[in-house]
Amino acid sequence: MGSQIQPEEEDEVSELLAVVLDTSFNSALIKEKNVGQLLDAVVIFSNAHLMNSSKNTLAVVACHPHTAKMIYPVKKDSIQNIRPPDAQMEILAHATQVIRDGIKEVVTSWQGVYSIEPLLTGGMALALCYIAKRMANTVGKLNGRILVLSSSGESAHQYLNFMNVFFAAQRKAIVVDSCVIQNDCGLLQQGADITGGNYLKAPSIAGLLEYLLWVFLPPKSLRAKLVLPKPDVVDYRTACFCHRNLIEVGYVCSVCLSIFCQFAPICSTCQTHFKFIGFKQSMVKKKEQKSLQAPLL
Ligand SMILES: [Zn+2]
Ligand SMILES: [Zn+2]
């Protein structure tokens, strides 16, 4: 047995997990005092990833309405001496403290503004850049993946940014997983489908940690061997460029492929002029005229 396992251990690749955390918690989470439980689950999940292998590394990005900031890892100069509690690994105690301090700093720097969409795409782009930089500077293979944790629901205003991030991630073979809490997000679901990740709406905050450990902790290579929740039908609606509403049917500019929910004579993106000839109405009128003329003949 030992001889069979050995080659796999030698081939063990390092995994870089970037957790993109939406810190503009929705009002229901705050009202039910579940924010602490959510943050605990994120910290424990991050520690579990680091414990999986000594080669594993972690990045955590906090996304607030006004900023997206990398809170872990931080520059060594700013690290204070952290003494781990008994029997806790130093790296885990350090990560826990730095992540907690970082979230506290981001949330308290802009208090009271929860109605604006968080900069999720900014956070994901930051995570992508960090992973790409680490991939370029690492000798050997490094697998990067992103886990987005959000409770804000749809963010149609950032539609184009979402798509840019997803296709960039797909090109670099970076998996984008998403775990949403209470509110579904169709764009994150599309991102998981495009990049080969998992999308899950956590049924309850109480069981969030179990869902994170079950669905999102295993690397992509292991997931095919696990029994995971069946993916839902992907909501592939797109956001119109005029109002940022999610639509199923719309008008597409034949020059720049911008999408609009209503007909506009000038494309607001590329300024192309269109002529609307009223095709259907003219056809209907012709038919009506023919039917009126027929008895006369
Ligand atoms: Zn519109
Ligand atoms: Zn156009």
Side-chain angles (χ1 to χ4, degrees), residues 253-258 260 267-272 274:
C253 171
S254 53
V255 178
C256 68
L257 301 182
S258 295
F260 303 98
C267 172
S268 58
T269 310
C270 67
Q271 310 303 320
T272 302
F274 296 108

Side-chain angles (χ1 to χ4, degrees), residues 81-257:
N81 288 330
I82 296 164
R83 288 185 64 190
D86 292 340
Q88 188 175 18
M89 287 167 69
E90 197 173 332
I91 185 174
L92 301 185
H94 173 252
T96 303
Q97 192 61 43
V98 171
I99 293 169
R100 283 184 193 281
D101 289 351
I103 292 171
K104 191 177 168 187
E105 192 191 327
V106 169
V107 173
T108 53
S109 66
W110 194 281
Q111 280 181 324
V113 180
Y114 295 105
S115 57
I116 310 170
E117 287 178 6
L119 286 174
L120 268 187
T121 50
M124 289 161 71
L126 203 61
L128 264 185
C129 291
Y130 179 74
I131 292 172
K133 189 177 159 191
R134 284 283 311 277
M135 278 176 165
N137 295 332
T138 302
V139 180
K141 200 179 178 194
L142 174 73
N143 281 342
R145 60 193 172 102
I146 294 175
L147 169 64
V148 183
L149 271 154
S150 173
S151 61
S152 297
E154 296 293 354
S155 305
H157 277 89
Q158 302 173 49
Y159 174 78
L160 275 183
N161 301 343
F162 268 110
M163 289 302 132
N164 287 338
V165 166
F166 295 146
F167 287 115
Q170 187 194 39
R171 201 172 170 83
K172 297 288 278 181
I174 295 169
V175 171
V176 181
D177 295 319
S178 294
C179 180
V180 294
I181 298 137
Q182 293 177 344
N183 297 316
D184 259 313
C185 180
L187 294 176
L188 287 176
Q189 196 182 13
Q190 289 181 28
D193 192 50
I194 290 167
T195 59
N198 287 338
Y199 172 87
L200 180 82
K201 183 181 176 186
S204 71
I205 283 286
L208 178 64
L209 180 61
E210 278 93 335
Y211 281 105
L212 289 176
L213 295 176
W214 172 37
V215 180
F216 299 107
L217 188 61
K220 179 115 196 302
S221 53
L222 278 180
R223 288 180 188 178
K225 296 170 186 169
L226 299 173
V227 181
L228 296 173
K230 285 183 181 174
D232 293 331
V233 178
V234 182
D235 176 8
Y236 259 111
R237 282 181 303 165
T238 183
C240 67
F241 283 38
C242 36
H243 307 95
R244 302 292 176 196
N245 292 331
L246 293 178
I247 53 170
E248 286 178 7
V249 180
Y251 295 87
V252 181
C253 171
S254 53
V255 178
C256 68
L257 301 182

Side-chain angles (χ1 to χ4, degrees), residues 10-42:
E10 283 172 5
D11 290 346
E12 191 183 15
V13 291
S14 44
E15 287 265 342
L16 168 56
L17 169 69
V19 178
V20 177
L21 177 65
D22 167 10
T23 53
S24 65
F25 310 108
N26 69 28
S27 51
L29 272 179
I30 297 167
K31 200 175 172 184
E32 292 161 17
K33 297 183 178 173
N34 282 330
V35 175
Q37 211 170 356
L38 168 66
L39 295 180
D40 283 344
V42 172

